[in-house]
Amino acid sequence: MAAPDKVFSLEGKVLKLDTAQDLEAHIGPLRAMDDVEEVRILGNTLGVEACKLLGEVLATKKSLKVANLADIFTGRLLNEIPEALSSLLTSILNLPNLHTINLNDNAFGLNTQAPLVAFLSNHVPLQHLYLNNNGLGPHAGILIADALSELHAKKEAARKAGQVVPDLETVICGRNRLENGSMLSWAKAFSLHNKVKEVKMVQNGIRQEGIEQLLTAGLNHATKLQVLDLQDNTFTIKGARALAKVVPLWADIQELGIGDSLLSAKGGILLADALAKGQNKKLETLRLQYNDITSIGVKGFASAAKDGLPALKRIELNGNKFSEDDEYILALQELLDERKEKYGGDIIDEDTWGLDSLSDLEELDSEEEEEEEEEEEVSPEEKAEKLVKEAEEAQEEPTVQLKDDDVEALAKKLAQTEI
């Protein structure tokens, strides 16, 4: 985080800045900051002309490291946002130290992907990307992931030319309806950016085939991964089996979020068995709420926590199918309490230790106690064919095209930039 005297902020002022004149009344201090390292514009709404002026000013700030442009288009018309975003991103494209870009909570969708793709495929210094809740959909998801794959090639070329280039370390892309259709592209992107440390792709409508592809053909290469959050997607036994296969590869993993993902009772057992192998000795937090995990799975996690997860501090299991006084839950609680007492220190954040509240547990129906039905096994060729088909269908999504002169103007701007 930048020192306070190197931060320019309009955060949360709820300003409606339509014109350059509107922005000028607030931007004087930024003009005067030659060594600004972080700008926070989030929580205001900017029109096209305001974005043009902001872009012109930011383009001169060679020391800028962090640009927080979250939630800056509330109430704007669909046809305004592409030009406004283009003005901003094209202006900051060549800033040599800009390693973090936050575009959360902006309604981009497929119609606004062009300037975003152009920036992401060319901004070599990019290290941390925050792109959460943007309404992308699977087609735009493909384009964004492919842009990141192209970025990897640009980073490699810059390294060969003698430049010091950071790895892409953070990708936050949740609540974007990425679905199965974009998972071939995302898997490829992560297989290339294999030094990534934090990935959060929650609530994206990714089903088990897509989860399997993402894990076994993408994130399995990310051996430096520290945080993975895939909550509120659909794993089932297929995704659970894929997770169990790759989780031992992540020796640095500290936080794993698989809550509300239909992991299944058998899937919980598979994951517990994988964690018990002792390859994840840095894991501190495990989020597994609402996954149909039963007492047998809890037994597995209790065993794994004791023998294979020496750093585990927190496990979340509410909404699963066992009783609150289950003997293995009590054993887990006792183990984590002992660790808190031994390692917690003088000031303890209770939310980072122990079990979560078990206020919403389900009862296991007698029918569910029977053996779970295995999902039909399909060949790798059939899996690939299905994902390719979904990717093709995703790319057939209708989109509102930019006007020809808008596209031409954007192309000219990009042609004038030098990386």
Side-chain angles (χ1 to χ4, degrees):
M1 184 176 292
D5 62 342
K6 296 185 177 182
V7 176
F8 172 78
S9 180
L10 295 176
E11 180 176 354
K13 292 184 180 295
V14 199
L15 301 171
K16 188 172 188 293
L17 306 172
D18 298 323
T19 66
Q21 187 176 3
D22 292 338
L23 180 63
E24 194 66 68
H26 302 277
I27 209 171
L30 177 59
R31 287 187 183 277
M33 296 174 72
D34 293 331
D35 58 351
V36 64
E37 294 184 1
E38 181 175 351
V39 294
R40 303 173 186 165
I41 313 297
L42 66 159
N44 302 285
T45 178
L46 279 66
V48 173
E49 296 305 316
C51 283
K52 286 181 179 178
L53 176 59
L54 179 59
E56 290 170 5
V57 175
L58 291 179
T60 67
K61 306 301 180 182
K62 302 301 182 184
S63 59
L64 189 64
K65 297 179 180 180
V66 179
N68 192 328
L69 305 173
D71 190 20
I72 61 169
F73 295 123
T74 298
R76 296 295 165 183
L77 298 176
L78 186 64
N79 60 1
E80 285 184 277
I81 299 176
E83 185 178 357
L85 184 64
S86 177
S87 296
L88 283 173
L89 296 184
T90 306
S91 297
I92 65 177
L93 178 60
N94 287 324
L95 294 180
N97 297 299
L98 180 61
H99 57 62
T100 300
I101 182 84
N102 187 330
L103 292 164
N104 291 348
D105 303 317
N106 288 307
F108 294 153
L110 183 56
N111 303 316
T112 312
Q113 51 76 27
L116 190 55
V117 165
F119 177 83
L120 293 178
S121 58
N122 286 285
H123 188 62
V124 170
L126 185 64
Q127 195 170 0
H128 308 287
L129 172 63
Y130 296 84
L131 198 60
N132 201 64
N133 190 33
N134 302 105
L136 295 178
H139 187 176
I142 290 171
L143 298 173
I144 297 300
D146 288 348
L148 292 177
S149 292
E150 188 174 342
L151 174 66
H152 178 266
K154 298 282 177 61
K155 284 177 176 282
E156 288 298 296
R159 289 187 180 108
K160 288 180 180 178
Q163 296 182 36
V164 178
V165 177
D167 295 309
L168 181 65
E169 293 186 1
T170 304
V171 177
I172 311 297
C173 193
R175 298 185 65 190
N176 271 312
R177 201 169 57 83
L178 297 178
E179 300 180 0
N180 277 11
S182 68
M183 286 304 105
L184 286 171
S185 292
W186 279 103
K188 178 183 177 182
F190 286 125
S191 72
L192 295 170
H193 292 285
N194 55 23
K195 303 293 195 304
V196 68
K197 294 180 179 179
E198 181 174 6
V199 174
K200 294 186 177 182
M201 301 178 74
V202 304
Q203 200 177 345
N204 269 312
I206 309 169
R207 299 189 304 281
Q208 55 267 36
E209 300 87 359
I211 290 290
E212 182 182 38
Q213 179 71 19
L214 181 66
L215 291 173
T216 62
L219 290 171
N220 58 314
H221 297 278
T223 54
K224 303 297 184 183
L225 197 61
Q226 296 176 5
V227 177
L228 177 62
D229 195 344
L230 295 175
Q231 295 184 95
D232 203 4
N233 290 292
T234 302
F235 273 64
T236 72
I237 188 68
K238 186 188 295 289
R241 188 175 285 115
L243 180 60
K245 179 180 179 181
V246 302
V247 75
L249 303 174
W250 302 327
D252 293 331
I253 195 82
Q254 297 173 19
E255 180 179 332
L256 181 60
I258 312 293
D260 201 12
S261 296
L262 289 176
L263 199 62
S264 79
K266 184 170 287 186
I269 295 170
L270 290 174
L271 177 57
D273 288 347
L275 293 173
K277 294 177 180 178
Q279 302 300 308
N280 309 105
K281 295 186 182 301
K282 297 180 182 180
L283 184 64
E284 296 181 357
T285 303
L286 187 55
R287 307 187 194 283
L288 295 166
Q289 296 182 331
Y290 299 95
N291 269 316
D292 293 339
I293 295 169
T294 63
S295 178
I296 300 174
V298 176
K299 178 182 179 181
F301 287 113
S303 177
K306 181 180 179 182
D307 300 322
L309 302 173
L312 190 69
K313 298 161 56 177
R314 172 82 168 179
I315 183 167
E316 297 179 359
L317 286 165
N318 193 29
N320 285 296
K321 296 184 175 181
F322 52 83
S323 67
E324 193 170 354
D325 57 358
D326 184 284
E327 64 176 301
Y328 302 112
I329 275 291
L330 298 177
L332 257 176
Q333 183 67 68
E334 182 179 353
L335 174 66
L336 297 179
D337 283 347
E338 287 175 359
R339 288 181 181 174
K340 180 173 69 172
E341 182 71 24
K342 188 173 182 179
Y343 304 114
D346 296 330
I347 300 175
I348 295 175
D349 180 358
E350 295 293 342
D351 289 338
T352 65
W353 286 94
L355 287 163
D356 57 333
S357 168
L358 299 177
S359 59
D360 197 24
L361 294 174
E362 296 184 44
E363 290 188 12
L364 182 64
D365 296 335
S366 58
E367 294 180 2
E368 291 179 298
E369 293 178 351
E370 299 177 9
E371 186 75 15
E372 285 184 7
E373 184 176 339
E374 286 281 351
E375 291 183 13
E376 183 180 351
E377 191 61 36
V378 296
S379 69
E381 292 78 14
E382 290 173 307
K383 292 176 185 177
E385 184 179 344
K386 182 175 182 180
L387 284 170
V388 168
K389 182 179 180 182
E390 294 198 42
E392 290 172 346
E393 290 173 351
Q395 292 177 83
E396 292 171 1
E397 285 185 315
T399 177
V400 178
Q401 297 294 326
L402 292 171
K403 296 177 182 177
D404 289 342
D405 54 349
D406 291 334
V407 174
E408 186 177 350
L410 177 60
K412 286 181 178 178
K413 285 180 182 178
L414 291 171
Q416 294 167 358
T417 62
E418 295 181 1
I419 305 301

